[in-house]
Amino acid sequence: MKITRLNIYPVKSLGSITLDQAELGVRGLAHDRQWMVVDDIGRFVTQRQLPRMARIVVSLDDEALVLSHPGTASLRIPLQLDDQPRLPVYVWDDQCQALDEGAEAAAWLSAVLGDYKGSGLRLVRFAPDQRRNVEPRFLAPGEQAHTAFADGYPFLVVSEASLAEVNRVLETKGLAPVPMARFRPSIVVDAAESFAENGWGELSLQEGMVRLGLRKPCQRCKITTVDQATGEIAVPGEPLRTLVEMNTRLAPGGYFGQNAILLAGEGRTIAVGEALVPSPR
């Protein structure tokens, strides 16, 4: 079994960056979900509320995070920290401190995304000294893990075979297949059996120097219905409705992929094409 894709999403709910290789950190692949869009009270804003967020293209160079949108000059956010003011922000029930990226970024987001319930929008960065813990009830005894602005876990592992099975069911319903981008995974693998990842406890790479612990099935939301290229919902409710209908060896619900934490290998680099060895739960 091999890695077939590596993706990062530097700004939560904006466009992805596909990589050939990526550095591992305890909070996820390097630069993943380090930024986030918030409203005037610091509450996170995602494609659940603004599907058009998907149309913002994200890139990174040696000096800056770059956000681009058709018909608008690109926004550059220096990677170097510059004593930005702090503000409290909220991801689900978690509160943490973030660094405000300033008025220019706020104006750019408002111009591109338009009105959001009468609230302004701001771009914030995860403060390096903050720790946002993964929910402990899904961890093994003695384990600890934390993440940045991801919904709950630093990694999301999905298999190509699982997507193929979802698309097979969609096609039996007369619906078009969906690409992997709908599910926004960080690590994609080529397991031969669909939904095999639901039975894995760990993935090992580089002769055990890298180990990922798969800790919780990922329950999907309406973002799966958003076309990541257009920011539009092509078929309302799909493929989420189909996921709910399918038996994916889990309790009823729209599950797809496994949330994971880093058990070993911080600072090491993984690459597309690398072999992985799964072990059962």
Side-chain angles (χ1 to χ4, degrees):
M1 190 173 67
K2 295 180 180 180
I3 297 173
T4 59
R5 303 185 200 185
L6 293 168
N7 301 311
I8 59 172
Y9 310 84
V11 185
K12 184 179 181 70
S13 238
L14 300 191
S16 66
I17 300 175
T18 299
L19 303 172
D20 293 326
Q21 61 182 29
E23 181 181 329
L24 291 165
V26 293
R27 291 176 177 160
L29 301 179
H31 300 296
D32 190 44
R33 273 94 168 192
Q34 293 299 302
W35 287 267
M36 180 171 71
V37 178
V38 299
D39 63 15
D40 285 339
I41 62 170
R43 178 67 60 181
F44 75 127
V45 178
T46 72
Q47 291 180 36
R48 298 174 184 89
Q49 297 87 25
L50 294 175
R52 56 188 177 275
M53 291 175 73
R55 296 193 65 204
I56 298 179
V57 176
V58 180
S59 60
L60 287 164
D61 59 33
D62 292 339
E63 298 180 347
L65 168 79
V66 183
L67 305 185
S68 304
H69 191 271
T72 306
S74 295
L75 174 71
R76 290 180 62 84
I77 301 294
L79 298 181
Q80 179 90 23
L81 295 175
D82 188 26
D83 196 28
Q84 293 102 315
R86 290 182 173 237
L87 70 162
V89 298
Y90 304 86
V91 184
W92 299 115
D93 294 328
D94 296 334
Q95 181 192 53
C96 52
Q97 292 290 310
L99 307 179
D100 187 358
E101 295 291 9
E104 181 184 357
W108 191 92
L109 287 171
S110 295
V112 165
L113 295 174
D115 180 66
Y116 174 64
K117 299 180 179 179
S119 173
L121 296 172
R122 302 194 75 83
L123 183 67
V124 299
R125 185 187 318 209
F126 196 82
D129 60 351
Q130 290 291 288
R131 182 183 175 102
R132 182 170 164 250
N133 290 325
V134 166
E135 50 193 350
R137 67 192 181 99
F138 289 97
L139 302 181
E143 279 184 351
Q144 293 186 354
H146 55 105
T147 187
F149 288 139
D151 271 0
Y153 286 78
F155 302 92
L156 176 62
V157 178
V158 173
S159 81
E160 301 275 6
S162 299
L163 177 64
E165 177 61 13
V166 171
N167 282 332
R168 184 192 68 79
V169 175
L170 287 171
E171 288 172 354
T172 66
K173 298 166 72 172
L175 299 172
V178 296
M180 187 65 82
R182 290 286 188 95
F183 302 99
R184 298 175 68 85
S186 47
I187 300 173
V188 183
V189 301
D190 64 352
E193 184 181 354
S194 61
F195 303 109
E197 61 268 32
N198 295 339
W200 300 337
E202 286 190 19
L203 287 175
S204 177
L205 300 88
Q206 302 174 9
E207 298 183 340
M209 297 299 291
V210 173
R211 292 167 48 234
L212 295 169
L214 280 64
R215 293 296 177 259
K216 183 186 178 184
C218 185
Q219 188 165 23
R220 310 317 300 235
C221 69
K222 65 186 291 185
I223 292 178
T224 60
T225 69
V226 179
D227 186 321
Q228 294 298 300
T230 67
E232 298 176 350
I233 298 174
V235 181
E238 291 292 359
L240 185 57
R241 184 178 295 113
T242 293
L243 284 175
V244 172
E245 294 168 354
M246 292 175 66
N247 176 12
T248 57
R249 305 178 189 172
L250 298 167
Y255 293 90
F256 189 83
Q258 287 284 325
N259 290 299
I261 63 173
L262 187 66
L263 300 176
E266 182 179 1
R268 297 184 72 90
T269 296
I270 60 173
V272 172
E274 269 196 78
L276 308 94
V277 179
S279 59
R281 291 190 189 279

